[in-house]
Amino acid sequence: MKYLNHIATVFSAAVLGLAAMTSCEGGDLYSVDAPDWISAKADSIANANVPEELEGMMEDVYTIGATDYSTGWWAAFSKYYQIPDGQVWNGQFNLNINPAASNTYKNFALILCNDEDRGAANYKEYGAIRFDNQPSGNSEWGEYIDRGSVESTLTFETDTDEGVDKLGGKVTLTIDRTVPGLFFVRITNGVVTKTYTQKSPLVNLNADGANTNIRAFLVPEGSYISFLQTNIEPIGGCTSAEDKLPLKMTLNGVPRKVMQGTEMEEAFANITATVEFEQAVTKVVPFSDLTVQAVPDMYTLGKKNLVAVYNKSYKGESSNPVIASAEFEVVDKMYTLVGAADNSTAFWGAHSEAVKVAPNETFVTTFTNYTSGGGNWNNFVIVLATEDGTTEYGVLRADNWGWGTGWGGEDLSSKCTPSGGQTDWASWLAAMDGARVTVYVTNNGNGTADVRTVMEGTDGNIYTQDYIGLNTVTDPDNFYFHLTVDGSHLEFDEVVGADDNSSAFWSAHSKAFRVPVGQTLTRRFKNFTSGGANWNNFVIVLASEDGTTEYGVLRADNWGWGTGWGGEELSSKCMTSGGQTDWASWLAAMDEAMVTVSVTNNGNGTADVKCVMQGNDGLTYWQDYIGLNTVTNPEDLFFHFTIDGCHLVFE
């Protein structure tokens, strides 16, 4: 990695000019290329469209097989293309069919194997899929290949049928592993399309169970392949026919926030840049190949621009610099994160704490979602499971897709009811980078669960998705949920009150949530106090939606009042753990205490409020207000939080 002041003055001038453009209307300097199609559930993914112009492709020019069509079976092989779980491989090549070929199998086969070289002691194959389709013949084989899952627009009855020439031309090959445990294959030349959908969980054939990679390679017979490009670099690297000059560049993985004082090498070590060269060839280059500068600086608080210059050709033999920029913010406080701030965390690579949801309870959590923008699935993921995680009730993605008990369980996408805006996936994905998300998880107590997600996109639109009546909860008394990520990260940054605890009573309020009749609504937060007095902590407000009717105001220090400011004193209804009688110790323990508050609407004009405070002293304090009889309209019961010389950070 090089700094900007080490390169030519002309580059510096270009960078500064580019940075100035960020304040201009329409000055879009940062974009993340996203695929035009997404993976869908296994029984419908075959209907996905392959884009005419594949993105993220790298030139890989070489020939497989003899150009005189003399190559026999298992005599010539392509490079190995290693496909990690959750990724998609796209390859393009020209398939050259012998004009004199009289057999349908004189084309090529795709071989799928474990992560080993042919001939290695541990080499194992999943099977082979040839481009021709002959149900009565041997056009697919292998222990793990289900021939009933093949579809093709051209079927041969025998291996001597005419039409093998239709298989030639420019071929696009796709292997999609984004459906967990499964894979999808599509081979098309625009005339003939053949697909294969793996419908049973893929067995891991690697000796190391932690290695979930598979490999693919091509084998021609009586034909030859002129390989062109790939989006995954093969083992041994790509082969380029000629050098090319760079045309433009975009930055990937730039963190949205950087802590003040963090050095540039640490803050941006994981970023990459996608460089587009002449002839539509692209290459992803690491941070070390870029010349970078933070504009105007890296150390003061506020919005900044990371400006990067790349001054190499495709082969690195000449200079023709391209420039890209991305915005980030230097902050002095980073709230709780799930996943790395540069969105580099892979699927299942980071998890929030699991929270129990009791029967007839709804837990509400809010966070900001940040995405790498690589795919629609690169956002938050909701996991419903038992406390120990051994039983998985459901895994629900942000893009209207999920699966049921265990990895090989029920496809839950059919149960999702989205708002409708998610059908424009490109717009939705862009709006999810920085979207405010509220998740409601309800345990119905009868073996079913409801999950509602409200996403406030950066485009000003509200996107929702509802999973109602998920019937996979085998033990309602052992029902937990947590959040995980996939090429994304989550920040729990909902704060009420000033960070220095200077906010006066009633000067800041959280969002209010409705408590339905017969239900319990729960929220959790970390309480920070100035320590001035016992009342300098969280305050719970029960009221109507418009706030004109106030059913009760309950402080953290066992005191409250009823309907209206001049109403009934509610402190006599408070039941405590007993620890709050040592007020000095309790007050000290309340700074950074984790607090869970549950409000129950009994439906008969009464409400119950339960607070559990896990102090910084390791002790648990609680207070219960049971049967508050001030709720004049049970259909209109909301609650929210306010503060008094404290601040709350919701977890």
Side-chain angles (χ1 to χ4, degrees), residues 385-434:
T386 54
E387 182 177 13
D388 60 9
T390 56
T391 300
E392 198 173 80
Y393 302 131
V395 179
L396 311 175
R397 294 193 326 209
D399 58 334
N400 310 343
W401 198 82
W403 57 94
T405 304
W407 292 99
E410 181 184 7
D411 180 347
L412 299 181
S413 58
S414 60
K415 296 181 181 292
C416 179
T417 305
S419 62
Q422 291 94 315
T423 54
D424 180 357
W425 287 111
S427 298
W428 174 85
L429 182 58
M432 286 301 291
D433 192 32

Side-chain angles (χ1 to χ4, degrees), residues 35-98:
D36 296 325
W37 61 282
I38 64 165
S39 64
K41 56 184 182 291
D43 61 356
S44 65
I45 191 171
N47 295 321
N49 292 319
V50 175
E52 293 182 2
E53 296 295 332
L54 297 173
E55 298 180 354
M57 302 299 282
M58 300 173 284
E59 186 179 59
D60 195 16
V61 178
Y62 66 103
T63 301
I64 310 153
T67 57
D68 64 357
Y69 307 107
S70 62
T71 300
W73 172 249
W74 212 251
F77 308 92
S78 74
K79 301 173 185 178
Y80 293 107
Y81 295 87
Q82 192 179 55
I83 311 166
D85 191 19
Q87 299 297 313
V88 177
W89 175 46
N90 290 314
Q92 280 193 333
F93 50 89
N94 286 321
L95 176 62
N96 301 279
I97 300 292
N98 187 346

Side-chain angles (χ1 to χ4, degrees), residues 304-504:
K304 314 287 181 177
N305 280 293
L306 179 69
V307 181
V309 176
Y310 181 77
N311 62 339
K312 295 181 180 180
S313 65
Y314 187 72
K315 289 188 172 182
E317 296 175 353
S318 62
S319 296
N320 187 53
V322 288
I323 303 171
S325 175
E327 188 178 78
F328 69 98
E329 183 178 6
V330 176
V331 298
D332 60 358
K333 178 183 284 284
M334 195 85 79
Y335 295 102
T336 302
L337 299 184
V338 177
D342 60 3
N343 298 316
S344 62
T345 304
F347 177 61
W348 217 256
H351 300 262
S352 72
E353 181 183 351
V355 176
K356 182 175 183 178
V357 185
N360 299 313
E361 180 182 19
T362 297
F363 193 97
V364 182
T365 188
T366 58
F367 54 87
T368 300
N369 178 89
Y370 296 99
T371 174
S372 63
N376 298 330
W377 51 88
N378 293 136
N379 289 285
F380 67 88
V381 181
I382 304 166
V383 183
L384 313 178
T386 54
E387 182 177 13
D388 60 9
T390 56
T391 300
E392 198 173 80
Y393 302 131
V395 179
L396 311 175
R397 294 193 326 209
D399 58 334
N400 310 343
W401 198 82
W403 57 94
T405 304
W407 292 99
E410 181 184 7
D411 180 347
L412 299 181
S413 58
S414 60
K415 296 181 181 292
C416 179
T417 305
S419 62
Q422 291 94 315
T423 54
D424 180 357
W425 287 111
S427 298
W428 174 85
L429 182 58
M432 286 301 291
D433 192 32
R436 293 290 302 167
V437 180
T438 302
V439 174
Y440 305 75
V441 178
T442 301
N443 179 353
N444 295 315
N446 59 359
T448 70
D450 301 334
V451 178
R452 178 175 176 79
T453 304
V454 180
M455 298 159 272
E456 302 175 34
T458 56
D459 58 357
N461 293 327
I462 304 295
Y463 304 92
T464 64
Q465 61 175 14
D466 293 331
Y467 289 89
I468 304 301
L470 298 178
N471 58 359
T472 57
V473 184
T474 54
D475 184 359
D477 292 316
N478 188 5
F479 179 83
Y480 288 73
F481 91 96
H482 73 272
L483 298 163
T484 187
V485 294
D486 183 2
S488 58
H489 79 278
L490 319 178
E491 185 173 6
F492 291 86
D493 53 359
E494 180 187 0
V495 181
V496 178
D499 287 351
D500 61 359
N501 298 314
S502 62
S503 297

